[in-house]
Amino acid sequence: MTTHLLVQYRHVCVRAVLDGAGFPGLILLTTMMGFGALAGLAGFSLPMSIAATVLIWGLPGQLAMLELWVGGAGLMASVVACSLANARFLLLTVSFLPLLRAGPQGKIALIGFAQLLSLNSWTMCQRRFPDVAESLRWLYFVCFALTIILFAIVGTVAGFYGASQLPGVVTIGLLFLNPLFFALVFAGVRQRYAVFALIIGAVLGAITYFLIPDWSLILTGLVGGSIAFWITEKRTDD
Amino acid sequence: MTDVTLWYLVIGSGLATMAWRYSGALFAASINVDTPFYRWISCVSYAMVAGLVARMILMPNGELAGVPLWIRLLATAAAFLIYALAGQRVFAGVLAGVTTLIIAIA
């Protein structure tokens, strides 16, 4: 395994852009095409569709907003639906921002980091950060996030103009990229507590979604995460 | 339905998501990475995200839902197998998984 420590600004930026322009970019392109197409059907203009992608920057919320709005639920209900579908960002920022401690810590920087964060960058950074010098991790994150936002915007525009008319088989293959990529990126995570949390979370996520879909994510996180934490702390004590 | 209302919808939804992000950022500021509390929060995040991924494979929505479960599982297994054999290359694994899926449904 090659684990160079990325210590130069330029190398970190290039690595981040290349990482972003691979599968993550393709995933954002594909999924945001879906969003762009639906937004167009819902009566959004192109600038509105792009603004939704950039400002909300979380597909589950974007889709929930559209679904409720198209269903005639009204402004407030649609906004609340978006917010609830994106509630995961609370946990993602809490667990992610401390990893950028060696970078800029001003108010504006932190707000910017929080706004750029998405599930893709959270995941990719967990895998890549061990290779990156601590003081430059924020740079890797920002370059990666900006790269995939670019892909997301292109996807939104393409979907808005009806470019999502790919053959069914190709679309399905592209959609499956998403979970596969995440699964394999996680396969490379090495910290012991993370490995336990991932395995327990995957099992629990499937079971709870089947039994109590509405509370599945919260329960999976709290229960699965706590079990993983407890196991790891116990083992470290030995 | 006016244009202005739709802009309210977009901006309102953006702000509503930002509320989570900024609460998280405020909270994060007081957390030290070397504490058990941070490790716990990390575990909770990892478990939640893993749950999401498992759900995307086992119980997807949209067009993927039309693909039989055994094909999705086969494709996932192929992805992990090739990933392991190819020296933990994510690219090779994902490619193998997606190819398996496409061949199986074509």
Side-chain angles (χ1 to χ4, degrees):
Chain A
M1 225 170 67
T2 55
T3 44
H4 315 292
L5 194 61
L6 294 162
V7 290
Q8 287 183 344
Y9 274 85
R10 197 167 50 90
H11 292 167
V12 170
C13 286
V14 169
R15 186 72 258 163
V17 171
L18 288 180
D19 282 347
F23 284 125
L26 194 55
I27 288 168
L28 264 304
L29 195 73
T30 317
T31 52
M32 291 299 175
M33 263 166 119
F35 172 75
L38 291 173
L41 290 176
F44 279 47
S45 66
L46 183 62
M48 282 172 197
S49 311
I50 296 173
T53 293
V54 174
L55 293 178
I56 303 173
W57 191 224
L59 190 64
Q62 288 168 247
L63 293 177
M65 169 193 77
L66 281 186
E67 197 180 322
L68 275 263
W69 178 258
V70 170
L75 186 65
M76 271 322 285
S78 309
V79 168
V80 170
C82 170
S83 182
L84 288 180
N86 274 344
R88 64 189 67 166
F89 279 112
L90 176 64
L91 190 55
L92 293 181
T93 42
V94 172
S95 58
F96 185 73
L97 289 186
L99 301 176
L100 306 179
R101 261 316 135 64
Q105 293 295 297
K107 219 174 216 154
I108 307 234
L110 290 179
I111 289 177
F113 293 156
Q115 180 58 30
L116 286 174
L117 188 63
S118 68
L119 192 56
N120 268 278
S121 39
W122 189 92
T123 306
M124 199 60 201
C125 287
Q126 302 289 350
R127 164 102 177 211
R128 194 59 95 178
F129 273 1
D131 301 339
V132 182
E134 278 188 42
S135 58
L136 293 180
R137 288 181 180 173
W138 69 277
L139 186 68
Y140 177 88
F141 161 64
V142 169
C143 292
F144 179 85
L146 289 176
T147 306
I148 60 174
I149 287 178
L150 201 65
F151 276 88
I153 292 173
V154 173
T156 306
V157 174
F160 187 86
Y161 286 119
S164 51
Q165 307 305 326
L166 292 167
V169 179
V170 177
T171 310
I172 290 174
L174 285 172
L175 287 176
F176 206 58
L177 268 184
N178 199 354
L180 277 189
F181 178 75
F182 277 101
L184 291 186
V185 166
F186 282 136
V189 166
R190 288 285 168 268
Q191 299 102 311
R192 201 157 35 148
Y193 69 89
V195 174
F196 280 116
L198 285 168
I199 295 171
I200 298 170
V203 175
L204 212 57
I207 298 172
T208 55
Y209 188 61
F210 188 65
L211 298 175
I212 23 168
D214 286 344
W215 294 91
S216 165
L217 274 191
I218 295 177
L219 273 181
T220 301
L222 285 178
V223 177
S226 300
I227 297 174
F229 174 75
W230 181 71
I231 295 177
T232 343
E233 298 286 305
K234 244 183 109 89
R235 289 177 55 138
T236 339
D237 288 345
D238 293 343
Chain B
M1 168 187 12
T2 63
D3 245 26
V4 178
T5 320
L6 280 178
W7 273 114
Y8 286 145
L9 175 65
V10 168
I11 294 168
S13 298
L15 290 173
T17 303
M18 286 171 202
W20 296 115
R21 299 176 185 274
Y22 301 157
S23 317
L26 280 179
F27 193 32
S30 59
I31 297 178
N32 198 322
V33 199
D34 300 320
T35 56
F37 180 72
Y38 179 75
R39 286 196 294 279
W40 177 73
I41 279 282
S42 277
C43 282
V44 172
S45 302
Y46 270 113
M48 179 188 76
V49 178
L52 264 176
V53 175
R55 184 205 245 181
M56 284 193 265
I57 292 174
L58 298 171
M59 288 155 268
N61 40 32
E63 291 181 68
L64 267 180
V67 178
L69 177 65
W70 72 268
I71 293 185
R72 282 180 264 131
L73 289 177
L74 182 73
T76 309
F80 272 99
L81 181 70
I82 298 302
Y83 169 81
L85 292 178
Q88 309 205 329
R89 285 203 182 84
V90 173
F91 181 81
V94 172
L95 205 64
V98 171
T99 313
T100 308
L101 184 89
I102 289 178
I103 291 173
I105 56 175

mmCIF file of all heavy atoms in Angstrom, chain A residues 166-206:
data_model
loop_
_atom_site.group_PDB
_atom_site.id
_atom_site.type_symbol
_atom_site.label_atom_id
_atom_site.label_comp_id
_atom_site.label_asym_id
_atom_site.label_seq_id
_atom_site.Cartn_x
_atom_site.Cartn_y
_atom_site.Cartn_z
ATOM 1 N N LEU A 166 -30.721 8.466 -20.507
ATOM 2 C CA LEU A 166 -29.778 7.386 -20.818
ATOM 3 C C LEU A 166 -30.545 6.067 -20.863
ATOM 4 O O LEU A 166 -31.612 5.956 -20.276
ATOM 5 C CB LEU A 166 -28.689 7.307 -19.746
ATOM 6 C CG LEU A 166 -27.711 8.478 -19.690
ATOM 7 C CD1 LEU A 166 -26.915 8.423 -18.394
ATOM 8 C CD2 LEU A 166 -26.773 8.438 -20.877
ATOM 9 N N PRO A 167 -29.980 5.048 -21.553
ATOM 10 C CA PRO A 167 -30.632 3.730 -21.527
ATOM 11 C C PRO A 167 -30.788 3.250 -20.091
ATOM 12 O O PRO A 167 -29.916 3.508 -19.252
ATOM 13 C CB PRO A 167 -29.647 2.840 -22.286
ATOM 14 C CG PRO A 167 -28.788 3.754 -23.067
ATOM 15 C CD PRO A 167 -28.775 5.066 -22.357
ATOM 16 N N GLY A 168 -31.887 2.556 -19.794
ATOM 17 C CA GLY A 168 -32.198 2.143 -18.432
ATOM 18 C C GLY A 168 -31.067 1.412 -17.734
ATOM 19 O O GLY A 168 -30.754 1.686 -16.570
ATOM 20 N N VAL A 169 -30.425 0.499 -18.450
ATOM 21 C CA VAL A 169 -29.374 -0.314 -17.836
ATOM 22 C C VAL A 169 -28.212 0.563 -17.362
ATOM 23 O O VAL A 169 -27.675 0.379 -16.273
ATOM 24 C CB VAL A 169 -28.854 -1.365 -18.843
ATOM 25 C CG1 VAL A 169 -27.750 -2.182 -18.223
ATOM 26 C CG2 VAL A 169 -29.986 -2.253 -19.319
ATOM 27 N N VAL A 170 -27.849 1.549 -18.178
ATOM 28 C CA VAL A 170 -26.747 2.434 -17.818
ATOM 29 C C VAL A 170 -27.115 3.266 -16.593
ATOM 30 O O VAL A 170 -26.326 3.409 -15.650
ATOM 31 C CB VAL A 170 -26.391 3.361 -19.014
ATOM 32 C CG1 VAL A 170 -25.303 4.334 -18.614
ATOM 33 C CG2 VAL A 170 -25.970 2.535 -20.212
ATOM 34 N N THR A 171 -28.336 3.787 -16.577
ATOM 35 C CA THR A 171 -28.789 4.573 -15.426
ATOM 36 C C THR A 171 -28.696 3.751 -14.151
ATOM 37 O O THR A 171 -28.198 4.216 -13.128
ATOM 38 C CB THR A 171 -30.256 5.019 -15.625
ATOM 39 O OG1 THR A 171 -30.367 5.596 -16.915
ATOM 40 C CG2 THR A 171 -30.664 6.017 -14.573
ATOM 41 N N ILE A 172 -29.188 2.519 -14.214
ATOM 42 C CA ILE A 172 -29.174 1.663 -13.024
ATOM 43 C C ILE A 172 -27.739 1.392 -12.574
ATOM 44 O O ILE A 172 -27.422 1.459 -11.391
ATOM 45 C CB ILE A 172 -29.939 0.348 -13.302
ATOM 46 C CG1 ILE A 172 -31.434 0.669 -13.431
ATOM 47 C CG2 ILE A 172 -29.713 -0.664 -12.193
ATOM 48 C CD1 ILE A 172 -32.292 -0.492 -13.853
ATOM 49 N N GLY A 173 -26.871 1.124 -13.548
ATOM 50 C CA GLY A 173 -25.460 0.907 -13.215
ATOM 51 C C GLY A 173 -24.856 2.130 -12.544
ATOM 52 O O GLY A 173 -24.148 2.019 -11.537
ATOM 53 N N LEU A 174 -25.172 3.305 -13.074
ATOM 54 C CA LEU A 174 -24.631 4.537 -12.500
ATOM 55 C C LEU A 174 -25.177 4.778 -11.098
ATOM 56 O O LEU A 174 -24.455 5.225 -10.203
ATOM 57 C CB LEU A 174 -24.981 5.735 -13.396
ATOM 58 C CG LEU A 174 -24.171 5.848 -14.688
ATOM 59 C CD1 LEU A 174 -24.722 6.945 -15.584
ATOM 60 C CD2 LEU A 174 -22.703 6.122 -14.375
ATOM 61 N N LEU A 175 -26.461 4.461 -10.895
ATOM 62 C CA LEU A 175 -27.041 4.655 -9.560
ATOM 63 C C LEU A 175 -26.381 3.735 -8.539
ATOM 64 O O LEU A 175 -26.217 4.099 -7.381
ATOM 65 C CB LEU A 175 -28.553 4.390 -9.594
ATOM 66 C CG LEU A 175 -29.404 5.457 -10.287
ATOM 67 C CD1 LEU A 175 -30.861 5.021 -10.345
ATOM 68 C CD2 LEU A 175 -29.282 6.792 -9.558
ATOM 69 N N PHE A 176 -25.987 2.547 -8.997
ATOM 70 C CA PHE A 176 -25.386 1.586 -8.066
ATOM 71 C C PHE A 176 -23.948 1.954 -7.717
ATOM 72 O O PHE A 176 -23.390 1.453 -6.737
ATOM 73 C CB PHE A 176 -25.454 0.167 -8.649
ATOM 74 C CG PHE A 176 -25.451 -0.900 -7.598
ATOM 75 C CD1 PHE A 176 -26.424 -0.920 -6.622
ATOM 76 C CD2 PHE A 176 -24.480 -1.879 -7.573
ATOM 77 C CE1 PHE A 176 -26.434 -1.885 -5.641
ATOM 78 C CE2 PHE A 176 -24.474 -2.858 -6.583
ATOM 79 C CZ PHE A 176 -25.451 -2.864 -5.620
ATOM 80 N N LEU A 177 -23.360 2.841 -8.524
ATOM 81 C CA LEU A 177 -22.026 3.360 -8.195
ATOM 82 C C LEU A 177 -21.992 3.910 -6.778
ATOM 83 O O LEU A 177 -21.021 3.731 -6.047
ATOM 84 C CB LEU A 177 -21.714 4.559 -9.098
ATOM 85 C CG LEU A 177 -20.984 4.386 -10.408
ATOM 86 C CD1 LEU A 177 -20.750 5.759 -10.994
ATOM 87 C CD2 LEU A 177 -19.664 3.699 -10.163
ATOM 88 N N ASN A 178 -23.061 4.612 -6.457
ATOM 89 C CA ASN A 178 -23.111 5.346 -5.201
ATOM 90 C C ASN A 178 -22.857 4.463 -3.978
ATOM 91 O O ASN A 178 -21.841 4.638 -3.292
ATOM 92 C CB ASN A 178 -24.459 6.073 -5.139
ATOM 93 C CG ASN A 178 -24.462 7.202 -4.155
ATOM 94 O OD1 ASN A 178 -23.500 7.388 -3.421
ATOM 95 N ND2 ASN A 178 -25.531 7.955 -4.116
ATOM 96 N N PRO A 179 -23.719 3.464 -3.697
ATOM 97 C CA PRO A 179 -23.453 2.636 -2.513
ATOM 98 C C PRO A 179 -22.160 1.832 -2.614
ATOM 99 O O PRO A 179 -21.462 1.656 -1.613
ATOM 100 C CB PRO A 179 -24.668 1.717 -2.435
ATOM 101 C CG PRO A 179 -25.296 1.745 -3.779
ATOM 102 C CD PRO A 179 -24.977 3.082 -4.366
ATOM 103 N N LEU A 180 -21.832 1.353 -3.819
ATOM 104 C CA LEU A 180 -20.609 0.550 -3.961
ATOM 105 C C LEU A 180 -19.373 1.374 -3.621
ATOM 106 O O LEU A 180 -18.471 0.920 -2.916
ATOM 107 C CB LEU A 180 -20.466 0.031 -5.397
ATOM 108 C CG LEU A 180 -21.214 -1.233 -5.772
ATOM 109 C CD1 LEU A 180 -20.769 -1.682 -7.159
ATOM 110 C CD2 LEU A 180 -20.961 -2.321 -4.752
ATOM 111 N N PHE A 181 -19.350 2.586 -4.134
ATOM 112 C CA PHE A 181 -18.195 3.438 -3.875
ATOM 113 C C PHE A 181 -18.034 3.696 -2.375
ATOM 114 O O PHE A 181 -16.952 3.544 -1.814
ATOM 115 C CB PHE A 181 -18.328 4.761 -4.636
ATOM 116 C CG PHE A 181 -17.205 5.710 -4.374
ATOM 117 C CD1 PHE A 181 -15.966 5.485 -4.947
ATOM 118 C CD2 PHE A 181 -17.368 6.802 -3.540
ATOM 119 C CE1 PHE A 181 -14.905 6.348 -4.694
ATOM 120 C CE2 PHE A 181 -16.321 7.663 -3.285
ATOM 121 C CZ PHE A 181 -15.093 7.437 -3.859
ATOM 122 N N PHE A 182 -19.130 4.042 -1.727
ATOM 123 C CA PHE A 182 -19.079 4.279 -0.282
ATOM 124 C C PHE A 182 -18.595 3.029 0.452
ATOM 125 O O PHE A 182 -17.730 3.104 1.326
ATOM 126 C CB PHE A 182 -20.460 4.663 0.254
ATOM 127 C CG PHE A 182 -20.781 6.113 0.094
ATOM 128 C CD1 PHE A 182 -21.596 6.553 -0.930
ATOM 129 C CD2 PHE A 182 -20.261 7.044 0.965
ATOM 130 C CE1 PHE A 182 -21.890 7.894 -1.078
ATOM 131 C CE2 PHE A 182 -20.553 8.386 0.826
ATOM 132 C CZ PHE A 182 -21.369 8.817 -0.198
ATOM 133 N N ALA A 183 -19.162 1.894 0.072
ATOM 134 C CA ALA A 183 -18.815 0.650 0.766
ATOM 135 C C ALA A 183 -17.312 0.370 0.651
ATOM 136 O O ALA A 183 -16.660 0.020 1.635
ATOM 137 C CB ALA A 183 -19.633 -0.511 0.199
ATOM 138 N N LEU A 184 -16.759 0.561 -0.544
ATOM 139 C CA LEU A 184 -15.339 0.244 -0.729
ATOM 140 C C LEU A 184 -14.426 1.300 -0.106
ATOM 141 O O LEU A 184 -13.344 0.974 0.389
ATOM 142 C CB LEU A 184 -15.021 0.076 -2.219
ATOM 143 C CG LEU A 184 -15.641 -1.164 -2.873
ATOM 144 C CD1 LEU A 184 -15.150 -1.333 -4.297
ATOM 145 C CD2 LEU A 184 -15.352 -2.418 -2.071
ATOM 146 N N VAL A 185 -14.848 2.548 -0.129
ATOM 147 C CA VAL A 185 -14.046 3.566 0.546
ATOM 148 C C VAL A 185 -13.963 3.235 2.036
ATOM 149 O O VAL A 185 -12.908 3.313 2.654
ATOM 150 C CB VAL A 185 -14.635 4.977 0.325
ATOM 151 C CG1 VAL A 185 -14.020 5.983 1.288
ATOM 152 C CG2 VAL A 185 -14.386 5.422 -1.109
ATOM 153 N N PHE A 186 -15.091 2.805 2.599
ATOM 154 C CA PHE A 186 -15.100 2.437 4.014
ATOM 155 C C PHE A 186 -14.274 1.191 4.277
ATOM 156 O O PHE A 186 -13.750 1.008 5.368
ATOM 157 C CB PHE A 186 -16.528 2.234 4.508
ATOM 158 C CG PHE A 186 -17.235 3.517 4.783
ATOM 159 C CD1 PHE A 186 -18.531 3.720 4.375
ATOM 160 C CD2 PHE A 186 -16.586 4.543 5.457
ATOM 161 C CE1 PHE A 186 -19.185 4.917 4.629
ATOM 162 C CE2 PHE A 186 -17.224 5.741 5.716
ATOM 163 C CZ PHE A 186 -18.529 5.920 5.298
ATOM 164 N N ALA A 187 -14.165 0.322 3.262
ATOM 165 C CA ALA A 187 -13.378 -0.897 3.438
ATOM 166 C C ALA A 187 -11.913 -0.550 3.722
ATOM 167 O O ALA A 187 -11.170 -1.355 4.261
ATOM 168 C CB ALA A 187 -13.491 -1.787 2.205
ATOM 169 N N GLY A 188 -11.497 0.667 3.340
ATOM 170 C CA GLY A 188 -10.112 1.060 3.569
ATOM 171 C C GLY A 188 -9.893 1.813 4.870
ATOM 172 O O GLY A 188 -8.771 2.215 5.176
ATOM 173 N N VAL A 189 -10.960 2.025 5.635
ATOM 174 C CA VAL A 189 -10.816 2.736 6.900
ATOM 175 C C VAL A 189 -10.154 1.822 7.915
ATOM 176 O O VAL A 189 -10.474 0.636 7.996
ATOM 177 C CB VAL A 189 -12.198 3.222 7.404
ATOM 178 C CG1 VAL A 189 -12.125 3.660 8.847
ATOM 179 C CG2 VAL A 189 -12.701 4.371 6.533
ATOM 180 N N ARG A 190 -9.177 2.348 8.666
ATOM 181 C CA ARG A 190 -8.361 1.479 9.513
ATOM 182 C C ARG A 190 -8.585 1.619 11.024
ATOM 183 O O ARG A 190 -8.322 0.689 11.770
ATOM 184 C CB ARG A 190 -6.878 1.722 9.225
ATOM 185 C CG ARG A 190 -6.417 1.182 7.880
ATOM 186 C CD ARG A 190 -6.283 -0.337 7.883
ATOM 187 N NE ARG A 190 -6.117 -0.843 6.530
ATOM 188 C CZ ARG A 190 -7.115 -1.228 5.758
ATOM 189 N NH1 ARG A 190 -8.357 -1.187 6.203
ATOM 190 N NH2 ARG A 190 -6.911 -1.651 4.541
ATOM 191 N N GLN A 191 -9.031 2.795 11.476
ATOM 192 C CA GLN A 191 -9.171 2.949 12.928
ATOM 193 C C GLN A 191 -10.140 1.899 13.442
ATOM 194 O O GLN A 191 -11.197 1.692 12.864
ATOM 195 C CB GLN A 191 -9.723 4.326 13.331
ATOM 196 C CG GLN A 191 -8.890 5.490 12.923
ATOM 197 C CD GLN A 191 -9.505 6.135 11.698
ATOM 198 O OE1 GLN A 191 -9.825 5.458 10.727
ATOM 199 N NE2 GLN A 191 -9.662 7.443 11.739
ATOM 200 N N ARG A 192 -9.772 1.291 14.573
ATOM 201 C CA ARG A 192 -10.534 0.153 15.044
ATOM 202 C C ARG A 192 -11.968 0.528 15.413
ATOM 203 O O ARG A 192 -12.907 -0.180 15.098
ATOM 204 C CB ARG A 192 -9.835 -0.492 16.241
ATOM 205 C CG ARG A 192 -10.274 -1.907 16.421
ATOM 206 C CD ARG A 192 -9.275 -2.716 17.169
ATOM 207 N NE ARG A 192 -8.618 -1.897 18.190
ATOM 208 C CZ ARG A 192 -8.177 -2.369 19.345
ATOM 209 N NH1 ARG A 192 -8.319 -3.638 19.602
ATOM 210 N NH2 ARG A 192 -7.576 -1.603 20.209
ATOM 211 N N TYR A 193 -12.128 1.685 16.063
ATOM 212 C CA TYR A 193 -13.489 2.055 16.472
ATOM 213 C C TYR A 193 -14.373 2.277 15.249
ATOM 214 O O TYR A 193 -15.554 1.921 15.235
ATOM 215 C CB TYR A 193 -13.478 3.283 17.393
ATOM 216 C CG TYR A 193 -13.094 4.587 16.753
ATOM 217 C CD1 TYR A 193 -14.063 5.394 16.161
ATOM 218 C CD2 TYR A 193 -11.776 5.048 16.751
ATOM 219 C CE1 TYR A 193 -13.729 6.606 15.583
ATOM 220 C CE2 TYR A 193 -11.431 6.250 16.183
ATOM 221 C CZ TYR A 193 -12.420 7.033 15.590
ATOM 222 O OH TYR A 193 -12.085 8.225 15.027
ATOM 223 N N ALA A 194 -13.776 2.803 14.179
ATOM 224 C CA ALA A 194 -14.549 3.051 12.961
ATOM 225 C C ALA A 194 -14.971 1.738 12.304
ATOM 226 O O ALA A 194 -16.096 1.599 11.843
ATOM 227 C CB ALA A 194 -13.732 3.889 11.995
ATOM 228 N N VAL A 195 -14.055 0.762 12.303
ATOM 229 C CA VAL A 195 -14.364 -0.527 11.686
ATOM 230 C C VAL A 195 -15.554 -1.181 12.402
ATOM 231 O O VAL A 195 -16.509 -1.637 11.768
ATOM 232 C CB VAL A 195 -13.133 -1.454 11.719
ATOM 233 C CG1 VAL A 195 -13.498 -2.842 11.211
ATOM 234 C CG2 VAL A 195 -12.006 -0.856 10.890
ATOM 235 N N PHE A 196 -15.516 -1.189 13.738
ATOM 236 C CA PHE A 196 -16.633 -1.760 14.494
ATOM 237 C C PHE A 196 -17.922 -1.009 14.189
ATOM 238 O O PHE A 196 -18.976 -1.605 13.953
ATOM 239 C CB PHE A 196 -16.362 -1.708 16.004
ATOM 240 C CG PHE A 196 -15.467 -2.814 16.477
ATOM 241 C CD1 PHE A 196 -14.211 -2.539 17.012
ATOM 242 C CD2 PHE A 196 -15.878 -4.137 16.379
ATOM 243 C CE1 PHE A 196 -13.385 -3.557 17.443
ATOM 244 C CE2 PHE A 196 -15.054 -5.160 16.811
ATOM 245 C CZ PHE A 196 -13.803 -4.875 17.344
ATOM 246 N N ALA A 197 -17.844 0.331 14.206
ATOM 247 C CA ALA A 197 -19.049 1.141 13.998
ATOM 248 C C ALA A 197 -19.636 0.885 12.614
ATOM 249 O O ALA A 197 -20.856 0.810 12.450
ATOM 250 C CB ALA A 197 -18.722 2.623 14.182
ATOM 251 N N LEU A 198 -18.768 0.728 11.623
ATOM 252 C CA LEU A 198 -19.241 0.511 10.257
ATOM 253 C C LEU A 198 -19.977 -0.821 10.135
ATOM 254 O O LEU A 198 -21.053 -0.912 9.558
ATOM 255 C CB LEU A 198 -18.060 0.541 9.281
ATOM 256 C CG LEU A 198 -17.499 1.936 8.984
ATOM 257 C CD1 LEU A 198 -16.171 1.838 8.247
ATOM 258 C CD2 LEU A 198 -18.503 2.750 8.174
ATOM 259 N N ILE A 199 -19.367 -1.880 10.706
ATOM 260 C CA ILE A 199 -19.971 -3.202 10.592
ATOM 261 C C ILE A 199 -21.301 -3.258 11.336
ATOM 262 O O ILE A 199 -22.333 -3.671 10.797
ATOM 263 C CB ILE A 199 -19.002 -4.287 11.112
ATOM 264 C CG1 ILE A 199 -17.758 -4.329 10.208
ATOM 265 C CG2 ILE A 199 -19.690 -5.646 11.154
ATOM 266 C CD1 ILE A 199 -16.639 -5.193 10.732
ATOM 267 N N ILE A 200 -21.280 -2.784 12.587
ATOM 268 C CA ILE A 200 -22.514 -2.825 13.377
ATOM 269 C C ILE A 200 -23.578 -1.931 12.741
ATOM 270 O O ILE A 200 -24.749 -2.292 12.650
ATOM 271 C CB ILE A 200 -22.232 -2.387 14.834
ATOM 272 C CG1 ILE A 200 -21.240 -3.360 15.467
ATOM 273 C CG2 ILE A 200 -23.518 -2.353 15.645
ATOM 274 C CD1 ILE A 200 -20.703 -2.915 16.814
ATOM 275 N N GLY A 201 -23.142 -0.763 12.260
ATOM 276 C CA GLY A 201 -24.088 0.174 11.635
ATOM 277 C C GLY A 201 -24.744 -0.405 10.397
ATOM 278 O O GLY A 201 -25.946 -0.233 10.178
ATOM 279 N N ALA A 202 -23.966 -1.119 9.580
ATOM 280 C CA ALA A 202 -24.524 -1.687 8.352
ATOM 281 C C ALA A 202 -25.610 -2.708 8.684
ATOM 282 O O ALA A 202 -26.692 -2.705 8.097
ATOM 283 C CB ALA A 202 -23.416 -2.326 7.519
ATOM 284 N N VAL A 203 -25.310 -3.582 9.651
ATOM 285 C CA VAL A 203 -26.286 -4.618 10.031
ATOM 286 C C VAL A 203 -27.532 -3.986 10.647
ATOM 287 O O VAL A 203 -28.667 -4.252 10.255
ATOM 288 C CB VAL A 203 -25.647 -5.617 11.024
ATOM 289 C CG1 VAL A 203 -26.683 -6.614 11.502
ATOM 290 C CG2 VAL A 203 -24.464 -6.324 10.372
ATOM 291 N N LEU A 204 -27.278 -3.093 11.595
ATOM 292 C CA LEU A 204 -28.387 -2.467 12.321
ATOM 293 C C LEU A 204 -29.221 -1.588 11.392
ATOM 294 O O LEU A 204 -30.452 -1.538 11.502
ATOM 295 C CB LEU A 204 -27.806 -1.623 13.455
ATOM 296 C CG LEU A 204 -28.632 -1.493 14.716
ATOM 297 C CD1 LEU A 204 -28.931 -2.858 15.298
ATOM 298 C CD2 LEU A 204 -27.888 -0.639 15.725
ATOM 299 N N GLY A 205 -28.550 -0.909 10.463
ATOM 300 C CA GLY A 205 -29.256 -0.031 9.530
ATOM 301 C C GLY A 205 -30.269 -0.814 8.707
ATOM 302 O O GLY A 205 -31.400 -0.371 8.506
ATOM 303 N N ALA A 206 -29.873 -1.989 8.254
ATOM 304 C CA ALA A 206 -30.768 -2.809 7.441
ATOM 305 C C ALA A 206 -31.943 -3.305 8.281
ATOM 306 O O ALA A 206 -33.103 -3.223 7.872
ATOM 307 C CB ALA A 206 -29.998 -3.985 6.855
#
